[in-house]
Amino acid sequence: MIDKVTELILHDIQIGLLAPGAWLKQIDLEQRYRCGRPEVRRALDRLAQKRLVAHVPNRGYHVYRPDGRQEGEVAEIRILLETGVAGRIVTAATATDIALLERLAAEFVRLMADGTTLELYEANLAFHHHLLSLCGTQELVALVAEIRQRTSATPVHQWTTRARIEQSAREHDEMIDAVRQADGERLRTVMTRHIRQQDR
């Protein structure tokens, strides 16, 4: 039950229902997730250990509000981890893997026109999960997923403008092309730009 409550709270933080800085009243969470106070308290303690919520003695818990410094540092850690396996990704990728990446990238583009922000966010995660999983190290994939949660994962903060969303879609295509060409250096370059959300 505690795992389920933890996941429910985490999900609501990630989709923005529980916004950065929002105070989390335990009685409200008990009612929202239909569970008891011990389950809510243990779930909040777990999320505090992951720095997704913060505990303030004698006041309670609030959703963690990352600062620019932390977001920048997390991006740099992701770059080190994700680009560090670019060579392994391009070596391991099969035609089937590339075809799946193309379908995931196409779904992202489709949702730009027809989907919700949350659907777009989840499509982006699916693309990156599959790309990174090609490195063959599932512990790395899990570690990157955990690190991504340390900054604002709320979809509305993922992309600041429509132009940035469109650029992300183009970068997905560039990453696929680099994998298709077995060009690890190009993949590293595009991944770095993509993670930093840099303009060309």
Side-chain angles (χ1 to χ4, degrees), residues 120-139:
L120 192 66
Y121 171 75
E122 290 176 342
N124 184 60
L125 286 182
F127 175 87
H128 287 284
H129 177 82
H130 182 63
L131 178 67
L132 195 56
S133 71
L134 298 179
C135 78
T137 307
Q138 293 310 306
E139 284 301 315

Side-chain angles (χ1 to χ4, degrees), residues 38-192:
E39 290 84 5
V40 167
R41 180 64 186 257
R42 288 174 68 185
L44 290 172
D45 285 341
R46 282 186 179 182
L47 292 169
Q49 288 173 352
K50 293 177 182 259
R51 294 196 302 176
L52 296 166
V53 302
H55 180 238
V56 179
N58 303 317
R59 290 204 58 198
Y61 296 83
H62 65 82
V63 179
Y64 190 77
R65 184 191 301 275
D67 57 27
R69 175 203 54 80
Q70 185 197 23
E71 289 183 345
E73 289 181 3
V74 167
E76 292 306 309
I77 291 167
R78 284 187 55 208
I79 288 165
L80 288 170
L81 293 173
E82 296 181 47
T83 64
V85 294
R88 291 171 64 178
I89 289 171
V90 300
T91 301
T94 65
T96 302
D97 293 321
I98 293 168
L100 178 53
L101 285 171
E102 289 172 338
R103 287 195 299 275
L104 292 168
E107 177 66 3
F108 182 85
V109 170
R110 183 188 72 77
L111 290 168
M112 285 169 54
D114 300 329
T116 65
T117 305
L118 178 58
E119 288 171 332
L120 192 66
Y121 171 75
E122 290 176 342
N124 184 60
L125 286 182
F127 175 87
H128 287 284
H129 177 82
H130 182 63
L131 178 67
L132 195 56
S133 71
L134 298 179
C135 78
T137 307
Q138 293 310 306
E139 284 301 315
L140 177 63
V141 176
L143 180 59
V144 169
E146 183 177 326
I147 288 170
R148 286 179 76 117
Q149 295 172 351
R150 291 190 178 190
T151 59
S152 179
T154 307
V156 295
H157 298 295
Q158 182 77 11
W159 302 282
T160 54
T161 65
R162 174 73 181 188
R164 182 58 243 187
I165 298 173
E166 291 169 353
Q167 183 174 325
S168 289
R170 289 191 298 273
E171 288 166 351
H172 289 165
D173 290 338
E174 287 184 65
M175 285 183 252
I176 293 168
D177 191 56
V179 173
R180 187 183 296 110
Q181 300 299 321
D183 188 340
E185 188 56 43
R186 182 178 173 210
L187 180 60
R188 276 189 282 276
T189 299
V190 179
M191 290 170 82
T192 298

